[in-house]
Amino acid sequence: MARRKKLYEGKAKILYEGPEPGTLVQYFKDDATAFNAEKRDVIDGKGVLNNRLSEFFMSGLAAIGVPTHFIKRINMREQLIRSVEIIPLEVVVRNIAAGSMSKRLGIEEGTPLPRPIIEFYYKDDALGDPIVSEEHAIAFGWATQQDLDDMVALALRVNDFMSGVMLAVGIKLVDFKIEIGRIFEGDYQRLIVADEISPDSCRLWDINTGQKLDKDVFRQDLGDLADAYTEVARRLGVMPRTNGNITKPTLIN
Ligand code: UDP
């Protein structure tokens, strides 16, 4: 069998050349990293869960007309996606104060925000992904004003969708990060949601207990990360059932 060409390996995913031009295969690893990769571990089953969860969220977004890179899931750890030119800005949407915003601005974690707040971070590991303004993004050529306006509109649609889906299963969407890519269609370019949407890139709190069901479980040593992600998947009805029970994924693929 011909060896697949690996195009990129990141902290949590690997990208391989896809079967057709304009496509890629995205492989979800079990590796977890935090604090710019200073803390790292391998969490059995995390890749399987994030592959399924990202499929679920991206398919839902497509169903309400939000364009994404997702084409189809191939197997337990891989999905076929459209190849995009990633805009080097992480887009964070916040509904409730937490994490770096609480620290930077001294706003107590858990404070509801009067409206969703959108922030841009420049994707550069060596710099620790610094927060930037639209001025920086335009001045340094990372995105145009039109791109930024489109990114804000996309991010708000993702926020409304994700907030609703989570609310329906008793989870508050505190904040999340998305990445956005350009695709070219003839003379036109379009922006679509890329990368992944999973508990690795969201803050998710149980509505009743406040229990954290996201990567903060790993960042703050609050328990078993795969258990937390399995709980999210179980509530959303995403994981396959065995005898009516949801089981933590055990198959290594
Ligand atoms: N986030 C992410 N990747 C990053 C930075 C942040 O997925 O490189 C997500 C994070 O999980 C959270 C949101 O973006 O849901 C906001 O993160 P924050 O800026 O508070 O940073 P953190 O506290 O995670 O360092």
Side-chain angles (χ1 to χ4, degrees), residues 90 92 94 99-100 121 129 175 177 200-203 219:
E90 298 193 338
V92 168
R94 301 180 185 273
S100 70
Y121 293 81
D129 296 347
D175 57 33
K177 182 260 309 186
D200 266 6
S201 50
C202 300
R203 280 198 173 88
R219 292 190 189 98

Side-chain angles (χ1 to χ4, degrees), residues 11 33-36 90-94 96-104 109 119 121 123 125 128-129 131 173-179 195-196 198-204 214-216 219-220 229:
K11 284 170 275 195
T33 63
F35 312 119
N36 207 6
E90 298 193 338
V91 186
V92 168
V93 183
R94 301 180 185 273
I96 297 171
S100 70
M101 195 186 74
S102 288
K103 265 190 226 107
R104 190 181 323 112
E109 192 155 284
E119 299 169 340
Y121 293 81
K123 271 170 67 69
D125 282 342
D129 296 347
I131 190 166
L173 178 65
V174 173
D175 57 33
F176 65 93
K177 182 260 309 186
I178 53 171
E179 298 193 18
D195 188 49
E196 73 178 286
S198 76
D200 266 6
S201 50
C202 300
R203 280 198 173 88
L204 305 170
D214 56 63
K215 207 164 93 177
D216 276 349
R219 292 190 189 98
Q220 301 167 7
Y229 289 18

Side-chain angles (χ1 to χ4, degrees), residues 4 10 21-22 29 37 42 48 51 70 72 96 117-118 155 168 180 197 212 230 242 250:
R4 259 193 320 195
K29 302 198 283 186
V42 174
V48 176
N51 185 25
F70 180 81
K72 65 170 187 183
I96 297 171
I117 292 178
I118 299 185
I180 291 174
I197 302 180
K212 294 182 177 176
T230 301
T242 316
T250 49

